[in-house]
Amino acid sequence: MKRLASLFATVLISLLAKNIAAADQAEIFGPYTALLRNADIIKDVKVEENGRIYLLLDPASKEKEIILKNSMAPKSGYRKWFNGEFELISPANQGKQPNAYTDFVTTSANYVEYYMDGELILHLGKTEIVSKQPPAGK
């Protein structure tokens, strides 16, 4: 019985260690690293070779508006989009198909932020820029 309990504890510790390591690894989407991703809303991100970024939204979230901001520095120095505004709005329920990649945007910015209901749901940073920055608090 002790041997079985010991084996169970070893397997459990091993699984926990793998999950912790996976949580510490950054998600890479094309040239971008996800600095933050609300996985309940953003199921996946796809970046094409031309830099166009697509989102796979949770079907329950397709009815909501998404606001995008882009900048060359993290959460500051926002740039205007093609429409002359600092925020680009993806309207709610614009025929978005459930379980399909939608809400595409193309930008040359180093950082792209996606907001829904005033909450940051996705923050992407160019991997080549993000990897050169020191960890927070240092």
Side-chain angles (χ1 to χ4, degrees), residues 41 57 61 64-66 114-121:
I41 297 171
L57 297 174
S61 299
K64 296 186 177 183
E65 178 180 89
I66 298 174
Y114 294 78
Y115 292 85
M116 183 179 285
D117 295 331
E119 175 190 341
L120 183 62
I121 58 168

Side-chain angles (χ1 to χ4, degrees), residues 28-101:
I28 306 294
F29 302 106
Y32 292 96
T33 296
L35 304 173
L36 177 144
R37 179 173 72 94
N38 182 331
D40 293 333
I41 297 171
I42 307 291
K43 295 301 182 184
D44 194 23
V45 178
K46 176 173 70 172
V47 182
E48 292 185 339
E49 286 184 29
N50 65 1
R52 184 172 283 173
I53 304 165
Y54 290 88
L55 303 181
L56 179 60
L57 297 174
D58 177 70
S61 299
K62 74 181 190 76
E63 304 290 329
K64 296 186 177 183
E65 178 180 89
I66 298 174
I67 297 174
L68 291 83
K69 297 180 181 182
N70 68 146
S71 65
M72 297 306 282
K75 294 189 177 181
S76 66
Y78 295 109
R79 300 173 9 165
K80 291 183 179 180
W81 291 96
F82 63 89
N83 61 1
E85 301 292 329
F86 288 105
E87 294 182 348
L88 183 62
I89 298 172
S90 175
N93 198 20
Q94 58 176 358
K96 299 174 187 176
Q97 298 298 313
N99 301 311
Y101 287 89

